[in-house]
Structure formats: C-alpha cells, structure tokens
C-alpha cells in the first residue's frame, strides 16, 4: 500500500468522473460501503453541508469518554491506483479533540480548519483492498478532565467536524491531447477566469487545431483565462506541450502552473512553436495554462501609451500536450 496526504485544488466535487462518489444526499450512510468503528456517533444531517442538503457529521459532546473515538470507515477495492478526495470542515483543537485521516489503520494527516471554511483534501490509494478512515477522538491524549477544563479554548473551536463529497477518482493514464476533437471533452479539461480558451484552426503545431486565448477576449482592463487539467498519478510522470506565445509586458503574460505554483513564464513574441516538459510529482496535481491581461493593473490610458513590439498579437496558442506516466 502506498499513500501520501495532500491538499489540493481542482474543479469542484470530482463527482462527474469519479469511480465512486457520495455527497450524502441519500440522507444516510448507505450509498457506499460505509461502517463506523468505535463510538457510534457519526450521523448524516443538514447542519452544515458543503454542497446540497446533507453532510456526515460528528461532534465531541457525543463521545462521552476522553480517549475514545468515532471512526467513519470506507472500504475500497481498486483495480488500479486512485485518489480519494473529500471536503471537510473541522473547527477542532487539541487537546480537546482531534480529527485525522487514516488508510488501512495508518495515520496520514490531521484534519482541522481553524478558519472555519470547507477544505478539499485527499490521498493517493494504491491498487488492492483498502479502508479509508476519518477518525474523530475526544481528548485523544487522555488528559484528566480537571486539567482539560482549565485549558483556554481557541476562539474558532466548535468541537465538531463535517465531511462531504467523498469521491474516488481514477488515476490518469498516459495521453496525448491534440485538440482534433475540436473541443475540450477528450480529456478532463476545465476552464476558469475572465474569458474562455477556445479551439481554433488558425494555427496548429500538428494537425489542424490548437487551443488559444487572446487578451482581447478578456473584456475588463485586467484579468486572466485559465485552462486546467487534474493529473492523478501514483508514480509521477512527465507532461510535455507546445506553445506559441505572442505576448509582451506590460500588456500580457503567459504562465504554466502546477498546483498554482508558476513553473514556466512566457512574456515574448515567438515566430515558431516552443516545446517544454514539466515533471509531475506523485499525487493529484492541477496543471494550468494561464494568460493574464495587464498583469500590473495599469490604467487604460497609461498602457495605451506603451508601444507594442513587432509581431505582437496579444494571444497564445497551445497544442500537442502529452502526459507520460513514470514506468
């Protein structure tokens, strides 16, 4: 078994391409192979859903004894590696209580949200039979009650936890995206930002089509257009792509990001397509191609005074994106 905890971004619940999914909208724990270990206090209720009406819920006051826990278990059987993704809201604090993620009885990571906001998290799960567990413990250190009662509580602490939109996502196989389908449906692309990338036949590195976006597509004085894909891999891999930028500062800039960290930047006018490779580390990684208009936020009259370089179009094209898993 190989597991690694991660907190990540993405395109929402993950339910659309999930192997298994439970948003608890059945109102109970019957949709998947759920079971409860320890004190039987997990419930599905309407107190604080991430999405929809229901979420799974547990609280300290329902676990009467310090040192006891209530654990929500999910049994999984995987032919190939996958990623267990979920959303949680846990305004909890040690030493009063703890909320933790386990796989096959092995501790992976603590789960807490001091800001009180829902957070996405997850872990790579290898092929085979596994049990993923969300363990909530009352006074896990077993401190005496008279000691616990004298400890100041942080202002955010509520002593409850909620779980929602649990999804088992498939691992990403090696692929080549050439946009010859004339849309973004061949792979799990998602669009975000101030304008949408589109498919065009005006320029292509190979074949007839490529993906493109222009600063003119962004109607405001500043903004960005993002084309993203989630890559789930147990062993890691390499993503390669071809890009043709015709951008320049201060008008626009192109970034390639992995998990919102910039790995490559283009701020020039190229006459030929440029190829690049990106190492993809194991886990669930979001790869984003982003065009930002007027990244410095200059006033329209000020930026209008800046001369544009020869050949400048304020546009970028993207083509022949391939992902190869590590053998």
């Amino acid at each position: 078994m190989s597991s690694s905890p991660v907190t990540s971004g993405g395109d929402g619940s993950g339910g659309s391409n999930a192997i298994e999914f439970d948003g608890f909208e059945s109102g109970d724990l019957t949709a998947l192979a759920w079971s409860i270990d320890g004190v039987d206090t997990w419930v599905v209720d309407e107190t604080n859903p991430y999405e929809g009406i229901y979420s799974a819920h547990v609280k300290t006051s329902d676990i009467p004894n310090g040192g006891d826990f209530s654990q929500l278990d999910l049994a999984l059987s995987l032919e190939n590696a996958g990623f267990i993704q979920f959303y949680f809201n846990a305004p909890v604090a040690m030493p009063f209580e703890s909320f933790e993620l386990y796989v096959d009885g092995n501790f992976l990571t603590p789960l807490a949200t001091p800001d009180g906001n829902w957070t996405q998290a997850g872990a790579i799960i290898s092929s085979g039979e596994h049990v993923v567990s969300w363990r909530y413990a009352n006074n896990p250190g077993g401190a005496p009650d008279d000691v616990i009662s004298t400890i100041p509580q942080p202002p955010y602490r509520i002593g409850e936890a909620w779980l929602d939109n649990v999804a088992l996502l498939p691992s990403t196989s090696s692929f080549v995206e050439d946009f010859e389908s004339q849309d973004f449906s061949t792979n799990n692309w998602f669009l975000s930002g101030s304008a949408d990338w589109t498919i065009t036949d005006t320029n292509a590195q190979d074949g007839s089509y490529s993906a493109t976006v222009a600063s003119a597509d962004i109607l405001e004085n500043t903004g960005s257009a993002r084309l993203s894909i989630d890559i789930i891999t147990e062993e890691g891999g390499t993503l390669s792509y071809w890009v043709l930028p015709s951008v320049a500062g201060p008008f626009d800039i192109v970034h390639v990001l992995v998990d919102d960290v910039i790995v490559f930047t283009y701020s020039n006018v190229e006459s030929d397509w440029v190829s690049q490779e990106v190492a993809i580390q194991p886990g669930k990684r979001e790869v984003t191609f982003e065009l930002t208009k007027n990244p410095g936020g200059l006033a329209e009259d000020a930026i209008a005074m800046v001369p544009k370089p020869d050949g400048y179009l304020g546009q970028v094209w993207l083509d022949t994106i391939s992902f190869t898993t590590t053998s």
Side-chain angles (χ1 to χ4, degrees):
M1 190 277 295
S2 173
S3 304
S4 56
V6 352
T7 299
S8 62
D11 58 342
S13 69
S16 60
N17 68 323
I19 301 170
E20 295 189 8
F21 178 80
D22 197 351
F24 302 105
E25 295 307 293
S26 63
D28 54 29
L29 295 172
T30 61
L32 298 178
W34 296 106
S35 61
I36 297 175
D37 189 16
V39 183
D40 188 359
T41 62
W42 279 90
V43 296
V44 174
D45 61 27
E46 305 176 25
T47 55
N48 184 19
Y50 168 73
E51 190 175 64
I53 299 174
Y54 298 100
S55 63
H57 180 207
V58 65
K59 51 186 176 180
T60 304
S61 60
D62 287 340
I63 302 174
N65 300 316
D68 286 348
F69 66 86
S70 183
Q71 180 169 296
L72 185 61
D73 292 337
L74 178 60
L76 298 173
S77 179
L78 285 77
E79 292 185 11
N80 301 294
F83 186 85
I84 189 74
Q85 176 179 286
F86 58 92
Y87 289 79
F88 70 97
N89 191 336
V92 298
M94 289 287 287
F96 308 100
E97 63 269 317
S98 64
F99 188 41
E100 299 169 332
L101 178 68
Y102 286 74
V103 175
D104 298 334
N106 299 308
F107 169 79
L108 284 192
T109 187
L111 302 171
T113 53
D115 59 5
N117 294 324
W118 282 90
T119 299
Q120 185 194 101
I124 282 285
I125 309 293
S126 62
S127 60
E129 306 290 327
H130 301 286
V131 177
V132 181
S133 305
W134 291 264
R135 178 180 295 183
Y136 191 100
N138 176 10
N139 182 13
D145 290 343
D146 57 347
V147 173
I148 286 286
S149 63
T150 64
I151 299 174
Q153 300 184 29
Y156 65 81
R157 177 184 175 256
I158 298 177
E160 302 181 49
W162 292 266
L163 179 69
D164 207 354
N165 282 14
V166 179
L168 176 62
L169 305 178
S171 56
T172 304
S173 302
S174 298
F175 68 85
V176 175
E177 175 64 83
D178 56 14
F179 302 110
E180 296 303 297
S181 65
Q182 303 180 46
D183 58 27
F184 296 106
S185 64
T186 302
N187 293 290
N188 293 313
W189 296 100
F190 50 100
L191 308 174
S192 60
S194 308
D196 286 343
W197 287 68
T198 59
I199 307 299
T200 181
D201 61 0
T202 60
N203 219 329
Q205 186 274 327
D206 189 31
S208 301
Y209 298 94
S210 64
T212 188
V213 69
S215 286
D217 298 328
I218 300 170
L219 301 182
E220 300 298 325
N221 182 44
T222 185
S224 63
R226 297 163 63 96
L227 175 64
S228 304
I229 189 169
D230 286 335
I231 295 179
I232 296 172
T233 170
E234 184 177 18
E235 303 295 338
T238 301
L239 183 87
S240 65
Y241 61 90
W242 288 82
V243 62
L244 179 60
S246 182
V247 295
F251 309 103
D252 33 39
I253 195 168
V254 174
H255 293 307
V256 180
L257 308 94
V258 177
D259 295 336
D260 285 329
V261 176
I262 297 171
V263 293
F264 290 106
T265 296
Y266 303 92
S267 57
N268 55 313
V269 175
E270 292 283 355
S271 58
D272 294 316
W273 287 83
V274 178
S275 179
Q276 190 63 61
E277 290 188 348
V278 180
I280 302 298
Q281 299 301 316
K284 178 172 178 273
R285 307 297 171 197
E286 181 185 282
V287 179
T288 299
F289 300 92
E290 178 185 62
L291 170 73
T292 300
K293 175 183 177 180
N294 186 12
L298 298 180
E300 290 186 25
D301 55 351
I303 203 168
M305 300 293 291
V306 181
K308 295 179 173 63
D310 292 341
Y312 170 82
L313 297 173
Q315 190 167 357
V316 61
W317 291 263
L318 185 66
D319 204 359
T320 318
I321 303 167
S322 66
F323 173 68
T324 305
T325 58
T326 301
S327 301

